[in-house]
Amino acid sequence: MSEGAGDWWRRTTIYQVYPRSFQDSDGDGIGDLRGVIDRLPYLADLGIGTVWLSPFFASPQRDFGYDVSDYTAVAPEYGDLATARELIDTAHALGMRVVLDLVLNHTSDEHPWFLESASSRDNPKADWYLWHDGRGRGGRRPPNNWKGPLDLRTAWRWSETRRQWYLASFLGFQPDLNWRNPEVRAAMFAAIRFWLDLGVDGFRLDVFGWIMKDPAFRDNPLRPRLGGGDVIRLRDRVFTEGTPDNVVLAQDLRAVVDEVDGADDRMLVGEVFGGPAKVRSYLGDERRPGLHLVFAFDLLEFRFTARFVRETLERYEREFPAPSLPATVLENHDRSRVMDRVGGDERKARVLAMLLLTMRGVPTLYQGQEIGMRNTYLPLRGALDPFGREVLPWMPEWISRRIPERINRDEVRTPMPWDGSAGAGFTTSAHPWLPLGPESGVRNVAVQEADAGSMLHLVRDLVRLRRDRPELHSGSLRLLPAEGDVVAFAREHEGRALHVVLNMGPREALWPGSGDILRATGPGAEATAAGIRIPACTGVALVE
Ligand code: BGC
């Protein structure tokens, strides 16, 4: 994990594009790659270093691309390979990197591999997925107790043709590949090489810790506890998630991306879950490096308190000692938007933006986060999101409406509002695939461009500051003394320091330090003889 020439990913800021909702260029109500190309100058201007695109591969779109039916083709509603190549080249010409989203754990059940695999017990791809005989009479009981998401039902699905079960860890139409089969590995590595040859700079790896399951298919032990996102989990997932074989796979994948021209210039960032030791293990070691980065998801479930922030920063210093770094994230296409977690208080969203963009780590912004986009409440009953539909029978609407997590992920995937026109500048169609958010007319890019005090200007300022100041993109982090609702930390690099002070409380605070205010998240902060006076819910960045 030593720093070399190819360490651009350490200093970058990632922006997640959800192509279906970013920009529609042909008026069908669905975003597309041409639309992304048209908006790349906006991202470059924002100071973004890396564009991560959620999947645009051929897919029946039942999980909107996370169900792939051809890893080396582009879904027709998004464009074609030539457009994908143009996107990559245009981003590069603008000085940005491109990272694709790889779904390795499962394919669509309409992938030709699965259709063949499911057709008999002895076809050439019979062993490409995780097939198993069932228990009980006629084998009609699932092979073991492995459960799908939220532990709601068995992760196994019955195939009448094979009279066997196949594993689908996420949803039924997403059968899990058998990564212990060398032919599967070879086919997937070939797809990875295909995109590397086209010039992509790396991959975000979907549910990476799920891929290698226990080869003996042992039952997961019963152990009720609170899982991520405040959901109750009945079982430990020791045999289905985070097994040590996933780390070996991370190392093998790293070898694949390092083997291409410009080795050590590509980046792998994993969506992984688990405690600190587990999550870090995916980075591999000196001898056999693994993923370059893993997402640290703690900030998705932040509490807006100085204590939470202080503890998180302390923990990251322990868990990701330099040169390792967490990939930090406040929002993505699966979870609630920040503005809703803070009850619509934009001052708080701004403080969190300053935290994300000044702490040590590789920050990821999700499209719309820069303008403080909100969730759009959409009832579970009408969900397009298959996860929302899966949960529907178990979740009364009034509960879904009140809990902070969005079960219907459509709510965080509504189209990007670019301006106040009828289709919000996203589409000319009267029927975008998801409705525009109710605030699109007033909270959009054009309105915020025109307002120097807007969230967009703040985020752009901070992204650029991070890009331009070595203290922020490469410096160490040290907590500074601060009391009550205030968190303060120093970012230091080669003798230069930048101080960040966040007042997370409801009252003005006086931080007994000094410096010139370089940036503030809102009005009213001032340097006085007694210290830095910071209004409620405001953050400042200071230089000596
Ligand atoms: C992705 C989801 C997707 C799931 C299954 C997740 O982690 O972020 O959007 O539905 O994996 O591929």
Side-chain angles (χ1 to χ4, degrees), residues 46 56 58 82 85 92 97 129 134 163 165 167 189 215-216 253-254 274 288 404 411 413 426 492:
L46 202 55
F56 54 72
R85 193 178 292 121
H92 286 168
R97 305 273 182 163
Y129 291 81
R163 302 197 66 75
W165 298 82
L167 190 71
F189 288 170
L253 267 182
R254 175 65 175 265
R288 279 209 82 199
E411 297 180 39
R413 298 173 176 179
F426 163 72
E492 290 160 327

Side-chain angles (χ1 to χ4, degrees), residues 467-482:
R467 180 193 64 191
D468 299 339
R469 303 284 296 221
E471 302 95 306
L472 289 181
H473 64 63
S474 299
S476 60
L477 183 143
R478 184 166 55 88
L479 278 161
L480 299 171

